[in-house]
Amino acid sequence: GWQVSMKSGSLSYILPCNRLPVQLMSQVRVYTSNGQKKDLGSEDTNGSAHGETLHKVETGQDTTNAGQKQSLPKQPIQVKVKAVLKKREYGPKYTQNNFITGVRAINEFCLKSSDLDQLRKIKRRSPHDDTETFTVYLRSDVEAKSLEVWGSPEALARERKRRKEAEIKYRENLFRNQRLLWEYKEFFGNTKPRSSTAAMFFKGPGKVVMVAICINGLNFFFKLLAWVYTGSASMFSEAIHSLADTCNQALLALGISQSARTPDPSHPYGFTNMRYIASLISGVGIFMMGAGLSWYHGIIGLLHPHPVESLLWAYCILAGSLVSEGATLLVAINEIRRSARAKGLSFYQYVVQSRDPSTNVVLLEDAAAVLSVAVAATCMGLTSLTGNPYYDSVGSLGVGTLLGTVSAFLIYTNTEALLGRSIEPEQLQRLTELLESDPVVRAIHDVKATDMGMSKVRFKAEVDFDGRVVTRSYLEKQDIEQLLQEIQQVKTLEELEAFMLKHGENIIDTLGAEVDRLEKDLKQRNPDVRHVDLEIL
């Protein structure tokens, strides 16, 4: 059913091929997928006879239509055959050319490191920043080696099952193993390097938290004695406030120490958010312990008022608390100013964005403590002047309200940080412009930059790469003369396929190197960016 277009004068006819005279005027070569060619002009000796037969038949038909015969001159037909490679069926699971690392080969195929020494080693571009290349193995070689070692797939499956059961048993006995390690703590302490966790509490947020723990602990002790001596509701609220601050700041110290843990397979991005979790729990604790008990004691004082004893000692303790809380507040303010200046933010922006949750908690708790001391002293003074205990109970309610406001703010800011909010639009614009100004990038889409907490940003974008620039980057590293000779030596389809596969794989590696370069540039020019995911469109 071929259709051939023939022109005569200004008319064009579309007629089926079996109704036209065929005259072979040139050789036609047909290429198969294996590169062989067939010369139909020389091999088909019956071609001319067949053409003459068709010519005779057509001539017989043209005797009845002489006018049409003269209007259709004989035209040679040239047939062009397109050489196409046979499509290769890879199947639903094709792993012949897949690479596998040595660790996976040992774990998944139950091999030893000595078994891998006999396999082909391939150097590939490393996905890690600290190394340029690393060694991988062909998955097909590893599978063949595992069958050689274990004898059959069934034996390999049994060994995998046995190791899985051993791993589950080890996890069940993990607590017992930890106890054994604890018994040898002194030995490991002498052989392992010193941990840097303790050093975190001598500078930065750790230092602020430790100072606050010491001061608030002393304040709680003295305020508790003053409440026992005077029975003042406001003094009781102050003692509960100092106790809540001490417990919450101890929780912050735990969060700081946990956030320094190194990432593991279960937590690949680390434990940085432990600071936000500790601050969130601290906010809830302030609301329950501080605000709740203060409100309760204030309401009880209003319902069942009782006279207040001498308030002289209470005033002295409040004055000392004001000085100590003010000192802690100044330490927190100076630390936040220093950190905000380093990030190029204002004091207010740094606090609202909860850049450093531990220092924020100390700042807000101490600010609330200073204000609550002022409220408690005012209400106690009114009570001592008027003799009316209701003022003291109102002071307790005021302290509780102040603590409830602080806790609500801490809960909100830390919840927003844990949800993963976007970075500032100006910072996102700088990252976008850096990518778009690179010659290898045509366009970027679906850009997302998430603040993971503690000034760590995760950046993700869909990138449309310019294939011409990538190919030129590859060609600039090649010997063009040698490449031209390789092209001139290509004669068959197999040679063409091998040439394209070789350089196609190298171009893909060049594209991967360009992706690594862009990720490295983003991290170097923006230190807050720790994780970059560039997806190729």
Side-chain angles (χ1 to χ4, degrees), residues 131-380:
T131 55
E132 294 184 359
T133 60
F134 73 131
T135 303
V136 294
Y137 304 88
L138 279 174
R139 188 184 183 94
S140 56
D141 294 347
V142 174
E143 291 176 350
K145 187 63 179 180
S146 64
L147 294 179
E148 177 185 343
V149 172
W150 296 104
S152 64
E154 292 76 13
L156 177 60
R158 288 193 298 268
E159 178 62 19
R160 287 175 174 171
K161 182 179 179 180
R162 186 191 67 79
R163 294 192 180 189
K164 187 67 176 179
E165 293 174 351
E167 181 181 358
I168 295 175
K169 185 177 180 181
Y170 171 78
R171 291 180 179 177
E172 293 175 351
N173 297 331
L174 184 60
F175 180 73
R176 181 176 61 85
N177 296 333
Q178 290 178 345
R179 291 184 59 186
L180 293 175
L181 292 176
W182 181 260
E183 295 177 0
Y184 291 96
K185 182 183 65 173
E186 295 182 359
F187 172 75
F188 283 112
N190 294 330
T191 56
K192 294 178 63 177
R194 293 186 59 184
S195 175
S196 60
T197 304
M200 299 178 61
F201 295 101
F202 294 99
K203 60 181 180 179
K207 178 182 177 181
V208 175
V209 171
M210 294 305 297
V211 170
I213 289 176
C214 296
I215 291 179
N216 285 319
L218 292 175
N219 288 340
F220 165 71
F221 178 74
F222 288 113
K223 288 178 182 179
L224 185 64
L225 291 179
W227 170 71
V228 172
Y229 180 73
T230 61
S232 170
S234 296
M235 185 55 64
F236 175 79
S237 297
E238 279 298 304
I240 293 299
H241 183 186
S242 297
L243 175 62
D245 288 350
T246 305
C247 295
N248 290 330
Q249 286 152 8
L251 184 62
L252 293 178
L254 178 63
I256 291 175
S257 63
Q258 291 295 314
S259 66
R261 294 169 58 187
T262 56
D264 57 25
S266 300
H267 305 85
Y269 290 105
F271 299 85
T272 306
N273 285 338
M274 281 300 300
R275 295 195 183 191
Y276 292 96
I277 294 174
S279 299
L280 178 62
I281 298 175
S282 177
V284 176
I286 292 174
F287 185 81
M288 295 179 63
M289 292 181 60
L293 288 177
S294 297
W295 284 331
Y296 171 77
H297 208 269
I299 293 174
I300 293 298
L302 291 176
L303 296 177
H304 306 286
H306 59 84
V308 180
E309 302 295 333
S310 175
L311 300 177
L312 178 61
W313 285 105
Y315 289 136
C316 294
I317 292 174
L318 284 178
S321 176
L322 181 63
V323 174
S324 60
E325 297 283 3
T328 309
L329 179 61
L330 289 177
V331 173
I333 290 175
N334 291 332
E335 177 62 26
I336 290 180
R337 282 180 176 175
R338 185 186 63 82
S339 301
R341 192 181 306 111
K343 297 295 181 182
L345 300 174
S346 65
F347 184 90
Y348 174 77
Q349 289 176 333
Y350 193 88
V351 173
V352 171
Q353 295 177 12
S354 189
R355 293 281 181 163
D356 186 356
S358 303
T359 309
N360 275 3
V361 172
V362 175
L363 171 72
L364 296 175
E365 285 182 349
D366 289 339
V370 172
L371 293 176
S372 63
V373 167
V375 171
T378 302
C379 293
M380 289 170 60

Side-chain angles (χ1 to χ4, degrees), residues 363-432:
L363 171 72
L364 296 175
E365 285 182 349
D366 289 339
V370 172
L371 293 176
S372 63
V373 167
V375 171
T378 302
C379 293
M380 289 170 60
L382 292 175
T383 299
S384 62
L385 290 176
T386 61
N388 187 353
Y390 286 106
Y391 290 110
D392 188 55
S393 298
V394 170
S396 180
L397 293 176
V399 172
T401 302
L402 185 60
L403 293 177
T405 304
V406 171
S407 65
F409 179 79
L410 291 176
I411 291 172
Y412 171 76
T413 55
N414 288 284
T415 302
E416 285 291 311
L418 289 172
L419 288 176
R421 59 194 171 193
S422 179
I423 62 176
E424 293 297 319
E426 295 80 8
Q427 187 179 5
L428 182 60
Q429 182 66 23
R430 289 197 301 268
L431 296 176
T432 303

